[in-house]
Amino acid sequence: MSNQPITGKKVIFEKQWIFLDNAVGQLYSTTFEILSGGNLKPHELKDSASPLDAVEAGTDNRNIVDDGKSQKLTRDDIEALKEKGLKGQDIIKKLVDNHATFGDKTEYSQVKYIKKKKKKYENTVMILKPSCRILAMMYHGREPGKICHLRYDTLAQMLTLANIHAGSKVLVFETCAGLVLGSIMERMGGYGSVIQMYPGGGPVRAGVESFGFPAHFHDTLHEFPICHVNALLAGTLDTSAKDPTAENTDEKQLNLAAEKEQNQPEAEEQGTPEEESMETNTGDDAGQDVEKTEKDKLKEAKAQVKKLRLEEKQRRLAATAALLKGRNADGLVIASRFHPCPVLLGLLKFLSPSRPFVVYSQYIEPLVECFKKLRECGGTVNLRLTDTWMRHYQVLPDRTHPLLLMSGGGGYLLSGTTVATDHSKPAGSKQAEEPAPKRQKLEDTEG
């Protein structure tokens, strides 16, 4: 849950509005009952009898015909029970009692039927503590396009292959709504440095806000625009550069002030023959002057705020550039919708030798190109291009089996390790240093 106050805030969940006021101060994993009006009430567990206690189970389902006539209660009858104030457990009991073939179902089918009806009629919700696994499953199930179809098992492999741990300095370039960035911050536990390389005008961190990190976690987070990487590597980055829009506004203000000074003596000379008309409009002019001064003050305040934001942005840029100049990062993680090859080749230069890197892509072709390019350039070893395969299993007594439906693909990963390269030696020096093979002497033996 977020650290921001949520008093009076409405949240939509499963097509229903919920007020979270009564959830503040409660423990995570608490089950709440949704009352009328969307208010939450902690759910009290009662030792009520199960609908299966007094029902005998059949041996098999071969004689059951799903013709829709087994249930005697209609939709109107169920709605009438809800209006009377019956709870979900009572409605399920009514459904079981009025089901003609419920006793002929096997025990497993009866449990499955009860579970399905509980999900439909029991109006309860459980609030869980946000974590990397829960958020990854939520994004992948509801909005996979926002995270580049990154599956949660693939994300777990990325964190392992990149050796993410507390106290390390990690470079991240991702366009997955901040999910990968938040997962790395969670794994590091608020210790170390995370440098987010972002495209465009600013970083996107919607997923990071969903984690609800404490304030000191954000102190370890830094940002750097990907468009300034080449300038930083070349040593031509100017962190004190001014915003061109701010310079244009300053020039406009100077021009306006000069025009006012030029027009002031002309207005004084032309004002003598029109003194009578000026006196009649003094009231209107005074009101207009007040409005102008208020607008000018508002513009000055906005300009001041913009200037402060620009100074803060330049200060953060200079601090992050100082971290990157050491070129001693401990890991690199890339997961974006852009082609990874130029990004990977540029950011690998900031890693220390013997450090891991991992690149995710929904498609294999961009990673194949990266693989070939890294083999040509050198400086990396243990290159591996893998895909992930995952299938869920139902594990229950006497009915353990794989589920029929499974995810079609979880993307592809390119991982490897950086090594130090000595560019001072010529290409043929390695062959020159190797000793010449010794000639084997053959002794003639007399037979």
Side-chain angles (χ1 to χ4, degrees):
M1 295 177 66
S2 176
N3 297 329
Q4 298 177 355
I6 54 176
T7 305
K9 183 177 181 181
K10 289 195 300 184
V11 176
I12 187 170
F13 178 74
E14 296 292 340
K15 299 180 181 179
Q16 185 172 4
W17 288 103
I18 299 174
F19 288 96
L20 299 178
D21 295 8
N22 296 334
V24 178
Q26 299 288 342
L27 297 175
Y28 284 112
S29 302
T30 301
T31 303
F32 295 91
E33 183 179 355
I34 304 175
L35 304 177
S36 59
N39 295 317
L40 296 181
K41 177 185 176 183
H43 184 61
E44 298 178 1
L45 297 177
K46 298 180 180 179
D47 297 333
S48 57
S50 173
L52 298 176
D53 292 345
V55 180
E56 295 182 358
T59 55
D60 54 53
N61 298 330
R62 71 178 70 180
N63 298 322
I64 298 176
V65 180
D66 188 12
D67 54 2
K69 300 178 181 178
S70 302
Q71 183 55 250
K72 298 176 182 178
L73 291 179
T74 62
R75 184 181 297 273
D76 296 335
D77 296 335
I78 296 173
E79 293 296 330
L81 293 175
K82 289 182 179 179
E83 291 177 359
K84 290 180 181 179
L86 264 70
K87 304 286 183 167
Q89 189 75 12
D90 299 329
I91 294 176
I92 295 172
K93 185 70 168 59
K94 292 281 186 182
L95 291 173
V96 171
D97 294 340
N98 290 275
H99 201 288
T101 60
F102 187 80
D104 299 333
K105 294 177 180 286
T106 62
E107 182 182 355
Y108 303 143
S109 298
Q110 289 178 354
V111 171
K112 190 175 180 180
Y113 179 85
I114 296 295
K115 183 179 180 181
K116 182 179 178 181
K117 296 304 176 184
K118 279 185 176 181
K119 185 177 180 180
K120 186 174 182 180
Y121 294 107
E122 282 196 351
N123 214 10
T124 58
V125 63
M126 179 184 291
I127 298 180
L128 302 175
K129 185 177 182 180
S131 65
C132 166
R133 180 182 62 85
I134 292 175
L135 289 174
M137 293 177 68
M138 184 273 295
Y139 271 109
H140 188 265
R142 292 180 177 268
E143 298 173 321
K146 286 189 174 181
I147 58 171
C148 304
H149 294 267
L150 175 64
R151 206 168 56 195
Y152 38 93
D153 62 309
T154 309
L155 176 59
Q157 291 192 34
M158 291 175 63
L159 298 177
T160 302
L161 292 172
N163 192 25
I164 306 299
H165 60 276
S168 59
K169 182 192 292 186
V170 184
L171 303 183
V172 185
F173 179 75
E174 59 114 329
T175 57
C176 300
L179 176 64
V180 177
L181 178 64
S183 303
I184 292 173
M185 293 175 64
E186 182 190 52
R187 179 69 65 90
M188 294 177 64
Y191 299 95
S193 300
V194 183
I195 303 175
Q196 181 187 11
M197 319 296 288
Y198 64 89
V204 178
R205 297 172 180 172
V208 177
E209 300 300 328
S210 301
F211 280 86
F213 290 131
H216 71 276
F217 273 63
H218 295 276
D219 296 337
T220 64
L221 180 59
H222 309 273
E223 59 195 44
F224 193 83
I226 195 72
C227 59
H228 291 165
V229 168
N230 291 333
L232 180 62
L233 291 172
T236 59
L237 179 64
D238 186 9
T239 57
S240 61
K242 294 183 178 179
D243 190 5
T245 58
E247 294 179 357
N248 293 336
T249 53
D250 293 340
E251 291 179 359
K252 289 180 181 179
Q253 290 178 358
L254 291 173
N255 293 333
L256 289 173
E259 289 178 3
K260 285 182 180 179
E261 290 178 358
Q262 291 177 2
N263 294 333
Q264 214 169 11
E266 295 178 2
E268 290 177 358
E269 293 175 0
Q270 297 176 0
T272 52
E274 299 178 355
E275 290 179 356
E276 294 180 359
S277 60
M278 291 283 289
E279 290 176 359
T280 56
N281 298 329
T282 50
D284 297 337
D285 294 342
Q288 292 178 0
D289 293 340
V290 172
E291 292 180 0
K292 287 182 179 179
T293 53
E294 289 179 356
K295 290 182 179 180
D296 293 340
K297 288 181 180 179
L298 187 60
K299 287 182 180 179
E300 289 178 1
K302 289 183 178 180
Q304 188 67 19
V305 171
K306 186 177 181 180
K307 184 179 178 182
L308 291 175
R309 287 179 180 175
L310 179 62
E311 291 177 355
E312 178 66 19
K313 185 177 181 179
Q314 296 296 336
R315 187 188 63 80
R316 291 199 304 265
L317 180 65
T320 309
L323 287 174
L324 292 172
K325 283 180 180 177
R327 302 191 183 188
N328 57 353
D330 298 317
L332 172 63
V333 179
I334 299 176
S336 74
R337 63 179 184 272
F338 302 106
H339 199 291
C341 194
V343 179
L344 176 62
L345 295 177
L347 296 182
L348 277 178
K349 300 173 183 177
F350 294 104
L351 264 65
S352 296
S354 187
R355 296 296 188 271
F357 63 91
V358 58
V359 186
Y360 165 81
S361 178
Q362 185 183 354
Y363 310 102
I364 193 172
E365 290 80 8
L367 296 185
V368 170
E369 185 177 343
C370 291
F371 186 92
K372 293 180 179 178
K373 200 70 176 176
L374 291 175
R375 291 290 296 269
E376 294 174 1
C377 298
T380 56
V381 294
N382 195 24
L383 293 177
R384 297 181 60 193
L385 181 56
T386 60
D387 64 337
T388 56
W389 189 87
M390 183 185 70
R391 189 169 189 178
H392 288 279
Y393 276 75
Q394 173 183 289
V395 181
L396 292 172
D398 299 329
R399 51 193 191 280
T400 298
H401 61 81
L403 299 185
L404 298 178
L405 300 178
M406 60 175 289
S407 176
Y412 302 89
L413 293 177
L414 173 63
S415 60
T417 307
T418 60
V419 293
T421 56
D422 190 359
H423 299 285
S424 60
K425 296 180 180 179
S429 61
K430 184 177 180 181
Q431 297 179 356
E433 290 178 359
E434 293 180 357
K438 295 181 180 180
R439 294 180 180 178
Q440 187 175 5
K441 294 182 181 180
L442 298 178
E443 296 179 358
D444 294 332
T445 58
E446 296 179 1

